[in-house]
Amino acid sequence: MPKEHAKEKLKVGEAVAYSSTDITAMKWKDKREVSMLSKTHTLDFAETGKVHRKMQTKIMKPPAVIDYNMKMRGVDVGDQILSKFHVMSKYNKAYKKILFYVVDMMALNYYVLYKKLHGKKDRTFHVFKQILAEELLESYFKEDVAKRRFAAPGDLPSRLSG
């Protein structure tokens, strides 16, 4: 990004662009400042098809923002869901953060597939992850409990949930 780009202070709805021969650096402010690099977009404004509730005016945004919102919706939703559970911030080691991020992404993908296949909309991702963990622990420890002679038949890891 150009140095001037960082110094610009914008008001809501304002935008500024710096361009070279093949790339444009744009900065636009809505609720927050949004910085973009694009090879295909210019600093024009386009209608989003929405109307501002208080002012009853059409909402205008740069086409780069509109295209991003249309094409990256699934990634943003996934990041929003995973951001509610800050598992990765607890660890200093990079490999642990990567491992837990991959596990969380697998669980999120499984959750999306589960909702599509079963049509269950009553479960949140948090509840789904908890049920998934309980079922995995139960299936893993069921064999271990059966091997021990002194274990009671109902002695499963679910007893440790309190």
Side-chain angles (χ1 to χ4, degrees):
M1 293 290 187
K3 291 178 184 176
E4 300 87 15
H5 190 78
K7 296 175 185 174
E8 291 284 342
K9 299 296 179 197
L10 303 173
K11 295 179 182 173
V12 175
E14 289 184 343
V16 65
Y18 301 95
S19 63
S20 67
T21 55
D22 61 341
I23 195 163
T24 304
M26 295 174 267
K27 187 176 188 179
W28 169 68
K29 183 166 183 174
D30 189 24
K31 292 178 185 172
R32 295 182 186 93
E33 290 184 348
V34 179
S35 298
M36 302 160 278
L37 288 174
S38 178
K39 291 183 109 178
T40 58
H41 299 95
T42 59
L43 189 63
D44 298 327
F45 280 84
E47 293 181 14
T48 60
K50 298 178 183 177
V51 177
H52 195 279
R53 283 186 284 173
K54 292 181 182 176
M55 295 184 219
Q56 296 300 318
T57 57
K58 294 179 181 178
I59 297 176
M60 306 288 282
K61 292 183 181 180
V65 173
I66 295 170
D67 288 347
Y68 176 83
N69 289 339
M70 281 180 18
K71 295 177 181 160
M72 297 300 287
R73 191 163 307 276
V75 174
D76 287 343
V77 171
D79 288 342
Q80 285 175 1
I81 291 171
L82 290 179
S83 71
K84 294 177 185 174
F85 313 105
H86 301 286
V87 174
M88 293 187 348
S89 62
K90 294 180 182 179
Y91 300 101
N92 290 332
K93 303 288 184 184
Y95 68 89
K96 287 182 181 179
K97 289 182 179 185
I98 293 169
L99 173 72
F100 284 113
Y101 179 76
V102 169
V103 169
D104 278 345
M105 285 303 295
M106 287 188 321
L108 180 63
N109 289 337
Y110 184 53
Y111 173 67
V112 170
L113 288 173
Y114 178 81
K115 280 177 58 174
K116 276 189 180 181
L117 292 174
H118 298 287
K120 299 210 177 192
K121 298 185 186 332
D122 60 337
R123 265 188 204 156
T124 61
F125 180 62
H126 178 67
V127 172
F128 178 81
K129 253 175 83 169
Q130 186 174 356
I131 292 170
L132 178 65
E134 288 172 1
E135 288 179 359
L136 286 171
L137 285 171
E138 199 167 284
S139 67
Y140 178 76
F141 284 112
K142 193 177 275 188
E143 296 170 5
D144 189 37
V145 170
K147 287 179 187 175
R148 290 188 267 156
R149 284 185 232 150
F150 58 86
D155 192 22
L156 294 174
S158 59
R159 66 178 163 68
L160 301 175
S161 64

